[in-house]
Amino acid sequence: MNTLFKILIGLTAIFIFASGCRSHSVNSQSQKPDLETQIPNLLLEDFALNSVPPKNLIIPQPLKVNSSEEIAFQARSLAIQKKLAALNLDEKEAWWRQIKLGDPHKYLLPIILARLSLQNQPDGKKYDSQHSWDVLLKLDQDQPDLYHFRAPLDVRIFFLFKDSMPLDVKLAYRRQLESPRVLEWTEGGTENHTFMQRASGLALMNASGFPVGDPASAATNEAWLRSELNKFLTIGQGEFHSSIYYGYSISGLLNLYDFSQDQKLRELAKGLLDWYAVNMALRLSWGTAGGAESRGFDRNTWNNGLTAVAWLWWGNQPELAEKMDEKYAQLALPAALSSYRPPEILTAIARKEIPLPFEARASHPAYYSYHESNRLWETFYITKNYSLGTLLEPARVYQVKGTIRAQYATYKLVVRDPKGQQNAVISLGGTYHGLQATGRSPGDQLVQKRGAVIFQLRLNQTDLKAGVPAASHLVLPQDYGQPQRYNNWYIWKIHNIWLVARPWGDKIELKSSISEKQPNLQALAAEGNQTAWITDVAAVDDYPNFQQLKTALDQTEIQAQDWKNQGKLSYKSLAGDRLTLTYQKNGAIGDAVINGEKRVLENWPVLDSPYIQEQLYSGQLEVKVPQQPSWRLRGTLMGPIWEVGKQK
């Protein structure tokens, strides 16, 4: 194992010991840094407005308030605040009590925070701040658990309004740090749960000024966060690019970034936030979380947990806030009220204002592991019209509960809507976890090169005994109608691309609607114990009409003579690539050859593309964009370090 990796993994134990002597420990609160300039976010309270890092701190502050980018950001921020403030707080209050909801803060705190944040705005006059405080205090009395979904917004409310909140509310926050209640801030859970809980709790312990009932809690939370950053920079992330949960994790880290009085903690928060931002920017596909995911399958446009935050950072059109579902808009609120901005070099990547197309590959660790590296393999390809991502996972597993395999996005095609209204999103796979062909179904095997994919599912006896459905689906929106046919190809024209599919199975059937829960999705189904697909994508610019596409398809080549008996399929794509996939009957990956080279998955990089690189175990994340200085984030024993190169 790489020596640097071993050293970084050992950091947790070293740091827990060292934390007992740190000047920012809970027994000795650090003093505020020297005052220099104001953070240009007028919505932050006095502490955030006046407390800034000393000269040697390399965390940049937001752009100047009169810059076009920052003015546009503040317009989006205000739109989110107004949307959430306008929700009926009393109805939500009555609703959660009526159904005895276990996590009411998740639904009430966004409204309270949004209303309080508008106090100095004309819209703020619509809302009685005392009423918000009364609801908040009653919530704490009736539901005192300091659980993960409560933590980020509750802590943000404290820091933004601690100088103006009623005394009884402030005392309620003080009690959050008394023993034994303070121990709740160290609770674990899934990755996003822990980020919400521990980062928010650490901010409260570090900067509230309240006595802390357990001196070890702050050190525990800090050590965990440092181990997470080291994990990200050496072997990657378990909950990678989750369209559902990225917004939650980010919300906790923003508290630590905005409110900690300790320079090293702010640097730690920034390092983790930058990691999230880099991964979002790389795969963001015009408002949709493109590519493979761990825990999610985004089919929307600027209307998901991840993309709501991405819209705050890199989007446009403040009016899009009104189209967002409130459950996603609330995840944009912490970013809307934060001084954190992603590195500027990411803007061009997120907006895809860079040379296209490009290919990327990535590896990911086992979900909770700090040492099981290179356990999932991702391929990503993006052009000006579409992005396509696929994911390989090395286990033929039949577990349906207590597993995230049902939440993997293993094939996702995002087709850009030129009008920016609603991208088309297509999935392909087995149906073990649902008819939508999402999740890692046992037996799914595939290979991708650019826009072409070969997929196979061949059920063995164990699959059949476990009840794996004898079918695979290509799932796409109903809006694009029934496919045209040419020979054995099924063809859709979707915005500016052609999607072509060649299925194999005992029966091929077009289902106009796959389920009552997904009435707007249709599926082309291949049924039988042995099914397979070839899908390919081409630009309408290259083939302006159906006849020209048919001529191009005549130039492709399919070799399927050995498929029935040996599970071997070969395809020469529209782009001229030769893909071959030989199915492994009792395996999970399949043997693949791309353009004459055997696919080897050993020691794939954590991230590798023309613009973003992180080698396995390297401890270094680097971003390069034409005509801009390179940007680099490195993990060290003393914490993250940023480096900016010379402009080329």
Side-chain angles (χ1 to χ4, degrees), residues 445-447 454 456 567-569 579-583 590-592:
Q445 299 179 21
L446 55 82
V447 60
I454 298 177
Q456 292 195 58
K568 183 177 180 180
L569 266 181
L579 293 76
T580 302
L581 179 66
T582 303
Y583 195 87
D591 295 331

Side-chain angles (χ1 to χ4, degrees), residues 543-572:
Y543 310 106
N545 57 57
F546 191 57
Q547 183 57 49
Q548 288 178 300
L549 178 65
K550 291 194 296 182
T551 301
L553 287 172
D554 289 339
Q555 303 303 310
T556 65
E557 182 182 351
I558 297 175
Q559 296 178 2
Q561 63 272 18
D562 296 324
W563 174 69
K564 195 71 174 177
N565 296 323
Q566 301 178 31
K568 183 177 180 180
L569 266 181
S570 185
Y571 172 59
K572 182 181 177 183

